[in-house]
């Protein structure tokens, strides 16, 4: 079946439908990872967005359900150059096509993903539509431009608290703004007793829970939209508890300190972004997925100092807060699939809470 990708700037790409036969309007971004498409599909940070994969062949190892980073996919649509109809992997449970049908996600293949990526890179991430209907462009352009990613954090967060890990280790409250599973897993692997809590959890519930530390997770959307969450984070800051934050959590912490964020032209989405630790000058390869960034000129030098920077474009990738036991990073140290260079940062969080309990 023919399918069409229509971008809000008027570009139309004709390809072949796969996955669910469904029309969807969303924001379009590109991802430069060569593997890990299951993790991409199930990363809640993509809520409200469709993903264009720059690597040409996708689906060749099928879908191992153990690789999911959440209970179900969150992407709105999926764009690939060539879909592998048959997967070859002893761990796979089903084909990518069947997985997308089962989860009601539309896809389009057989399009020039290199050309689409160049458009997004040059003009910025933009809205678009995946459809099997042939439209007159004038019919849909205004509708595409009107789309906005909103309310996605509440959609991605858990409804009730749940626990992961061992009783007896450090008690960690993990705020779920759209948390990837591997964040809780990395903490549990270090002996932590993790309680994953909904994004709407008031600070008072955390402070009454006698936790040793707090982790603010990744998540989707515009951080400045999360005004109620930011107010609760301010109360957590005042408590002087150890806090580590990732991606959206990193941005929310900055906003809670009075810094500002801005939307990037096309964002960072991929498993190959170099970041530099400004203390050691060592460069790490990181996995990233964000459209917003902290404005460097908004950072109050009396409150925080830059910890990491992106080697490619010099954007802020991490902050250390002065006179507070708080560290934050924009990238994903829990990356799975992805580079593992920076998962030592979970050990840093353990040190912030007092060091190994096994020592």
């Amino acid at each position: 079946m023919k399918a069409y990708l229509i971008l809000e700037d008027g570009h139309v790409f004709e390809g072949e439908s796969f996955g669910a036969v469904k029309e969807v309007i969303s924001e379009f971004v590109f991802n430069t990872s060569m593997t890990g498409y299951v993790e991409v599909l199930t990363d809640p940070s993509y809520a409200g967005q469709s993903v264009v994969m720059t690597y040409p062949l996708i689906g060749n190892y099928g879908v191992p359900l153990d690789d999911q980073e959440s209970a179900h996919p969150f992407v709105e649509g999926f764009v690939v150059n060539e879909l592998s109809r048959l997967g070859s992997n002893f761990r796979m449970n089903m084909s990518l096509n069947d997985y997308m049908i089962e989860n009601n996600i539309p896809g389009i293949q057989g399009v020039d993903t290199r050309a689409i990526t160049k458009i997004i890179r040059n003009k910025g991430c933009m809205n678009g539509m995946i459809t099997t209907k042939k439209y007159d462009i004038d019919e849909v352009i205004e509708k595409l431009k009107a789309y906005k990613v909103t309310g996605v954090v509440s959609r991605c967060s858990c409804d009730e608290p749940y626990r992961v890990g061992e009783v007896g280790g450090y008690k960690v409250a993990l705020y779920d703004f759209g948390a990837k599973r591997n964040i809780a897993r990395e903490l549990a692997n270090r002996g932590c007793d993790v309680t994953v809590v909904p994004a709407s959890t008031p600070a008072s519930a955390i402070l009454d829970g006698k936790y040793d530390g707090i982790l603010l997770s990744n998540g989707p959307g515009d951080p400045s939209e999360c005004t109620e969450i930011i107010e609760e984070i301010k109360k957590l800051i005042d408590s002087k508890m150890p806090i580590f934050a990732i991606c959206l959590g990193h941005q929310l912490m900055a906003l809670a300190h009075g810094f500002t964020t801005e939307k990037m032209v096309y964002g960072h989405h991929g498993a190959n972004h170099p970041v530099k630790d400004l203390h050691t000058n060592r460069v790490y390869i990181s996995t990233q997925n964000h459209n917003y960034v902290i404005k460097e000129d908004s950072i109050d030098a009396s409150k925080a100092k830059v910890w990491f920077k992106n080697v490619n474009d010099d954007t802020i990738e991490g902050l250390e807060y002065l006179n507070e036991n708080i560290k934050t990073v924009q990238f994903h140290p829990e990356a799975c699939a992805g580079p593992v260079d920076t998962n030592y940062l979970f050990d840093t969080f353990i040190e912030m809470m007092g060091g190994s309990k096994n020592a």
Side-chain angles (χ1 to χ4, degrees):
M1 181 185 297
K2 281 187 178 179
Y4 304 91
L5 169 56
I6 307 171
L7 296 176
E8 69 173 82
D9 70 345
H11 278 94
V12 181
F13 294 85
E14 181 180 318
E16 180 183 342
S17 171
F18 74 99
V21 178
K22 174 185 174 185
E23 185 171 282
V24 66
I25 295 174
S26 62
E27 185 176 63
F28 279 76
V29 298
F30 63 84
N31 184 293
T32 54
S33 301
M34 295 176 67
T35 61
Y37 53 82
V38 178
E39 289 85 348
V40 169
L41 286 165
T42 54
D43 183 348
S45 296
Y46 280 119
Q49 297 177 324
S50 292
V51 180
V52 181
M53 298 299 293
T54 61
Y55 190 71
L57 179 64
I58 301 295
N60 54 310
Y61 56 87
V63 174
L65 293 177
D66 285 345
D67 290 351
Q68 294 181 112
E69 282 290 353
S70 55
H72 59 83
F74 280 92
V75 301
E76 304 294 331
F78 207 42
V79 184
V80 304
N81 177 258
E82 181 182 350
L83 173 73
S84 178
R85 293 285 180 181
L86 298 175
S88 178
N89 184 339
F90 72 97
R91 296 175 61 246
M92 69 173 279
N93 300 99
M94 64 181 74
S95 70
L96 176 57
N97 186 57
D98 288 343
Y99 181 73
M100 290 180 58
I101 291 172
E102 184 175 291
N103 288 281
N104 199 30
I105 302 170
I108 181 170
Q109 70 142 333
V111 292
D112 188 344
T113 49
R114 184 179 177 85
I116 298 168
T117 299
K118 284 184 175 180
I119 291 167
I120 296 172
R121 185 191 64 193
N122 295 333
K123 295 186 177 182
C125 60
M126 65 180 73
N127 297 337
M129 170 191 285
I130 294 175
T131 181
T132 55
K133 300 177 186 175
K134 185 142 186 158
Y135 283 102
D136 183 318
I137 299 301
D138 295 333
E139 288 181 62
V140 296
I141 290 297
E142 290 308 312
K143 191 176 178 182
L144 298 184
K145 289 181 177 179
Y147 176 82
K148 190 169 181 1
V149 178
T150 59
V152 281
V153 169
S154 59
R155 199 172 95 199
C156 295
S157 183
C158 59
D159 295 324
E160 299 289 339
Y162 64 92
R163 292 176 71 175
V164 180
E166 304 174 11
V167 175
Y170 283 117
K171 283 187 65 179
V172 176
L174 169 54
Y175 265 91
D176 181 7
F177 305 135
K180 292 160 70 178
R181 284 176 171 170
N182 212 41
I183 295 176
R185 191 181 300 130
E186 288 287 351
L187 291 171
N189 287 345
R190 288 163 173 79
C192 293
D193 176 5
V194 183
T195 301
V196 183
V197 300
S200 59
T201 303
S204 58
I206 302 302
L207 299 178
D208 291 343
K210 300 190 183 332
Y211 290 99
D212 298 302
I214 303 165
L215 198 150
L216 308 180
S217 83
N218 65 291
D222 182 348
S224 64
E225 182 185 281
C226 304
T227 53
E228 293 180 4
I229 295 173
I230 292 167
E231 289 305 310
E232 296 305 311
I233 291 175
K234 289 178 182 178
K235 298 172 188 175
L236 296 175
I237 293 168
D238 291 340
S239 75
K240 304 299 183 183
M241 288 180 66
I243 304 175
F244 184 57
I246 295 170
C247 198
L248 178 63
H250 156 82
Q251 297 163 1
L252 295 175
M253 181 60 73
L255 291 170
H257 277 84
F259 311 158
T260 57
T261 56
E262 63 183 344
K263 191 169 186 178
M264 305 173 76
V265 177
Y266 52 82
H268 294 162
H269 311 276
N272 46 11
H273 288 260
V275 295
K276 184 185 215 179
D277 182 333
L278 299 189
H279 297 327
T280 64
N281 285 326
R282 180 173 176 179
V283 174
Y284 300 88
I285 301 302
S286 69
T287 291
Q288 300 192 19
N289 181 13
H290 62 103
N291 269 11
Y292 291 83
V293 68
I294 297 167
K295 293 180 68 174
E296 185 166 8
D297 60 9
S298 76
I299 298 172
D300 184 340
S302 70
K303 294 181 179 179
K305 62 181 177 180
V306 179
W307 184 11
F308 288 94
K309 274 198 167 184
N310 191 293
V311 175
N312 291 335
D313 61 12
D314 214 33
T315 51
I316 303 299
E317 295 287 355
L319 291 176
E320 287 183 299
Y321 288 83
L322 308 176
N323 306 313
E324 294 168 344
N325 199 2
I326 300 172
K327 298 179 189 291
T328 72
V329 292
Q330 180 64 78
F331 50 90
H332 290 260
E334 83 290 344
C336 183
V340 295
D341 301 34
T342 59
N343 65 8
Y344 76 90
L345 292 172
F346 289 101
D347 297 317
T348 300
F349 181 42
I350 299 295
E351 292 300 318
M352 290 166 63
M353 291 188 287
S356 174
K357 286 199 168 186
N358 297 320

